[in-house]
Amino acid sequence: MLANAIIQIGLFLLLVTAISVPLGHYMARVFAGEKTFLDPLLKPVERLIYRLGGVHPENEQTWVEYAVSMLLFSAAGMLLLYGLERLQGWLPLNPQALGAVAPDLAFNTAASFTTNTNWQAYGGETTMSYLTQMAGLAFHNFVSAAAGIAIAIAVVRGFIRRNSKTIGNFWFDLTRATLWVLLPICVVMALALVWQGVPDNFAPYVRAKTVAGAVQTIAEGPVASQEIIKELGTNGGGFFNANSAHPYENPTPLSNLIEMLAIFAIGASLTHTFGKMVGDSRQGWVLYGVMAILFLTGVAVCTWSEQRGNPMLARAGVNEIASASQSGGNMEGKEVRFGIVDSALFATVTTDTSCGAVNSMHDSYTPLGGFIPLLNMQIGEIIFGGVGSGLYGMLVMAVLAVFIAGLMVGRTPEYLGKKIEGREMKLAMLFILIFPLVILIPAGLAVVLPAGLAGISNPGPHGFSQILYAYTEASANNGSAFAGLNANTGFYNVTLALVMLCGRFLMKVPVLALAGSLAAKRSVPESAGTFPTNGATFVILLIGVILIVAALTFFPADALGPIVEQLAMRHSHLY
Amino acid sequence: MRIWTAIRMTIVLTVLTGIVYPLAIAAAAHALFPWQAEGSLVTSGGTVVGSALIGQNFSAPRYFSGRPSAAGDKGYDAANSGGSNLGPTNKSLITAVAARVHEVRESNPGTVSVPVDLVTASGSGLDPEISIAAADLQIPRVAKARGLDEDTVRKLVRANTERRSLGLFGEPGVNVLMLNLALDRLRSGDRPAGS
């Protein structure tokens, strides 16, 4: 059991590493506009998109223009999705004749998919038509991911450009990310998922006459095409209510492996894209190392806790001990084909990044096992992270780390040849502070307002965890859930939508401003007093800063939820 | 001006990623893997009896039972998937599991400790599989109800057991629907001599 866990997790990280280096270098070429092997196929499509869209990709933008383009594009897509949801009853590709989505739920879902959160207050197969799923939801899976990558690239340009007013062109970055990165991988891997059993059709739901003589209605749909971008774009919104636990979304351990690799692929690769762009691959490896260490720590704790199981079940006569004929452990909310290891691994992967797809129900995890996904999000989803947002989030933490190092030795801090001064620190701190602000204040409100308390489905400290988890995932744009929380209410739909929008756009704008500010600076030559950021010392410093910031911010809240519940469970206290 | 660019790009990219791409994938999926693309449906005597990937309710003693399901009101509602989302310190969870343990012991005399997957709800509510331990526990009951010897049933269990992918990934499990179908087929003709 232990050997298999170590081999599976080790092999997984090895595969991520093996994919990330070539993919990272490839992306560096894509965003520099250099030649790639896909050019003969994609160049004509790219030109067509620019012509139809009225885009002049050679026009460089300042950070303000870049941010405005990004915001307008997001607003247009959000309106389109809202419209599709409200009108789906009259539109084609709706064999189940599903009616209009209620206004508050439609608003929540539009905000959710525009912000790359993919929080779902609905069940896919009972709410959304095939057209809404593909043209509304899958479209956002692509472009919200592409926009994230675009911004990460713009931020890296801020570090490498000197005395420059501009940081690139949003439309160019967006189109290139979609065409050269997301689409080709999706086409190949979607078919691999179909091979494993993920359906992809436009048929009405199947009525099966079961062996026991009942009727079973089986939901169908264009699942595979949406499934792969849901993982690759770290979106996470399931086609079905049960997300990647549903056998149609994730039928085998092999499809599970493909999905987990897709979740990490781009976030991991961007560290090497970054290394390549700044001309020092070790800078990229430092960030990769920090991420890998935090990932392994999380997955180890989560797997251990889930395998250990729930002592109260053991007392009720349940066998939770792993053997050759069962995985054992805490199997409530988990699938037999994934067992404990693949469930805990998936839960860690999906919350290290801003994905939020789930192949097991986090609400039913042991308190400590469920604390890891929560903590991963509270750290800011920078452990490989959301596509793009993981890299720029980590770069902001790196800026904070060199600042703290500078304070300790009394020198003006530098990072990648750029002086970090007052303006940069203000923007970095704005980025760091908005995040907990839009978690803790609304969560605090929800636990005192009747409308908030009404959503709780598990009594005791777990109920508080459900609320804390909901606002954390919304601000972190994750979208996984302690899904027992009844969140399809006016109160939760509106507050969570606002938190998602703040968590996405109030953080993207300061980070673009930071990029603009850095790009305008000249580069200072390295000197004997420069703190080296491409070695092991910086790895340790960066991990320390990340953990201290998260702990100082969230420990009091966490103590009231998962921490106290873990103590209660070990002492067999029920609620 | 900028607003128009945003609207035009939204439309262009919607057509590409939201219409062209999913239609192309559906077409390629049907060309390459038509059975999977249609949902891995299983037919018996010309009618669809289910999907090889989706679990069903079984309660009769002559069928292997699957896992408890929280999908829909009656369980295994494949148009309304989901887990119980009961937390680990929720009284309802512990009470429900204890009741299921009791039930398993009643219908399978001689059972001491019950494999955890047989008394806990799956994440999807549609888990097609049970662990090998959970299948082994039910062999005597099913064999008795069908008048078969246990070895015959055990052989069918082994034949419907999925190993780990590549010998490494995931966990082994027994597909309950396929196993029960195989049992029914056994009854209607190819019953081995001596049973």
Side-chain angles (χ1 to χ4, degrees), chain B residues 9-34:
Chain B
M9 283 297 280
T10 303
I11 295 167
V12 172
L13 289 175
T14 299
V15 171
L16 177 68
T17 63
I19 311 276
V20 176
Y21 158 77
L23 291 179
I25 295 292
H30 279 82
L32 293 170
F33 312 104

Side-chain angles (χ1 to χ4, degrees), chain B residues 22-111:
Chain B
L23 291 179
I25 295 292
H30 279 82
L32 293 170
F33 312 104
W35 184 66
Q36 291 97 315
E38 286 296 320
S40 311
L41 301 176
V42 182
T43 52
S44 174
T47 50
V48 175
V49 296
S51 164
L53 296 175
I54 307 279
Q56 308 187 344
N57 270 320
F58 290 102
S59 50
R62 37 194 232 93
Y63 287 120
F64 281 85
S65 319
R67 302 182 60 191
S69 163
D73 297 333
K74 295 180 189 153
Y76 288 98
D77 181 347
N80 194 5
S81 56
S84 74
N85 286 311
L86 292 174
T89 56
N90 191 331
K91 255 184 203 133
S92 317
L93 172 72
I94 310 301
T95 321
V97 170
R100 292 171 193 148
V101 167
H102 181 73
E103 218 172 290
V104 170
R105 283 176 175 161
E106 291 276 286
S107 49
N108 301 277
T111 305

Side-chain angles (χ1 to χ4, degrees), chain B residues 99-147:
Chain B
R100 292 171 193 148
V101 167
H102 181 73
E103 218 172 290
V104 170
R105 283 176 175 161
E106 291 276 286
S107 49
N108 301 277
T111 305
V112 185
S113 73
V114 180
V116 62
D117 62 291
L118 199 57
V119 289
T120 48
S122 64
S124 62
L126 304 172
D127 197 339
E129 294 183 324
I130 52 177
S131 67
I132 297 172
D136 284 352
L137 177 155
Q138 302 183 59
I139 289 174
R141 183 197 78 223
V142 174
K144 192 167 164 228
R146 287 177 178 262

